[in-house]
Amino acid sequence: PQVCWLTPEQTAGKQKPFMYTQGQAVLNRSFFPCFDTPSVKCTYSATVQVPEGFTAVMSATSWEKQKDNTFVFKMSEPIPSYLIALAVGDIVSADVGPRSRVWAEPCLIEAAKKEYDGVIEEFLAVGEKLFGPYVWGRYDILFMPPSFPFGGMENPCLTFVTPCLLAGDRSLADVIIHEISHSWFGNLVTNATWGEFWLNEGFTMYAQRRISTEVYGLAYTCLEAATGRALLRQHMDNTGEDHPLNKLRVVIEPGLWGVNPDDTYNETPYEKGYCFVSYLAHLVGDQTKFDAFLQAYVNRFKFQSITADDALGFFLEYFPELKEKGVDSIPGFEFDRWLNTPGWPPYLPDLSPGEQLMKPADELAELWAADSLDMEAIEAVDIMAWRTYQLVYFLDQVLQKSPLPAG
C-alpha cells in the first residue's frame, strides 16, 4: 500500500511512469523491513538503480549518482521509519536558494522555480531565528504528479508537495511554511506514538503561524488561523463533539485486527493541538519567553521520540513559577482535560487582529447576499489586492448566507 505506481497518464508530462512512496503513518513496513513505529529512530543508506531516462530522489542528507543510473543515498541523522521516502520519475531540478532546489517534471520546472525562488530561504531563516538551527542540510521540494493525494509530506531534506501549490502568483507559498516547520516539530522532535499525533501537528501549526506572523504580519496569520478554526468546527459538527477521535490523546486500540492510525486522522490534532500550544503560550504571557521555551524544547528533545507527558513535564520544569502555581490543574483547563476529554478546545487564542482583513470580506459578502444586487458597489471593491485567505474567508461567508437570492 505504501509504494504508489503511476501510469504516464497520471503524470503532468504524460510521457513516462512515476513511482513514489508514502510512509506516514505505518506504511513503510510494506516497502522495507523496519521497526515501523515513530518511537524508533535510525540513520539509513540506500542504493537505487533505475532505468535510463529516470531519476531517483530520497529523503536523505547526501545523494550521489553513479554509473548504470544508480543513485546512492545516505541519511546521516536518525529519523523515524515513516520519514524514509523514495520517488522515481522523469524529474529535473533547479536551484531556488543557497540550500534549496525544486524538483519537478520538466514541463513544471520553470513554474516551480518562478514560484519558489528566494521564498524558501526566507522561511528557513525565520524558522532558525525562532526555533534554532536547521539540522538537515538541504531543504528541497519535489512537486509531485497531479494525482498525488496529499497537500504535502514533510520528508526530511525533500518535502513532497502537490503541484496545486504552483498558483503562479506565490499566493500558496505559505503551505510550505507548514512543511518547513516540521523540520523542528515532527522530524526532529517526534511523537513516540500515533495516539499523540498532536505533538507533531499542534506544535507545527503553532510554529507555522509564528513564522507566518514574522513574514506576513499578525492580521493575515489570524485570518488563516480563523479558517483553520472553521475547519475544526465543521469537523466536530460532523462527528459530534464527544466523538473519541476529538481528543488530543487518541486511544488506538490493538483489538482483534488493530486500528490503522490513518483512520484516526482529522483536524483535531492540528487545530485543537494548536489551541493547546497557544494556551501554554498564554500561561507564559510573554511571546519572547515562549519562543525561547520552544527553542529549549527542540534542543532538549532533538532526535528523540517523546510523549505528551515528556513535553508538558519539560514545560513545567522550564517555568518553575508556573509549576508552583499549579497551572496544570486550573479548573476547566487541566492539562489532563486537554489531553483526554473530547470536544471543543477549552481555550481559543484571540484572532481579533484578523478582523481588519475580514471586515472588507464580510462587507462584500453582505453586498452579494442582498435581495437586489448593487453591482456598482460590488465592482468598486478591489479584490485583486486580497490574499488567498481573504478570498477563502469571503467564500465561506457567502456559503453561510446561501441559498443566495436568484440574482
Side-chain angles (χ1 to χ4, degrees), residues 250-299:
V250 178
V251 182
I252 300 179
E253 283 292 357
L256 180 60
W257 298 108
V259 171
N260 185 339
D262 280 342
D263 295 340
T264 67
Y265 180 87
N266 64 63
E267 291 293 337
T268 302
Y270 291 80
E271 295 296 344
K272 190 175 179 177
Y274 165 72
C275 290
F276 190 19
V277 179
S278 301
Y279 175 65
L280 298 177
H282 162 77
L283 289 174
V284 174
D286 177 320
Q287 188 65 63
T288 317
K289 280 186 183 160
F290 191 71
D291 288 347
F293 159 72
L294 287 177
Q295 210 168 119
Y297 166 84
V298 169
N299 197 40

Side-chain angles (χ1 to χ4, degrees), residues 62 196 243 253 311:
S62 77
E196 297 192 327
H243 193 287
E253 283 292 357

Side-chain angles (χ1 to χ4, degrees), residues 16-17 48-56 65 68-71 88-89:
K16 294 181 181 175
V48 185
Q49 187 177 18
V50 299
E52 271 311 314
F54 288 86
T55 299
K65 185 177 178 181
D68 301 331
N69 227 30
T70 299
F71 295 81
V88 179

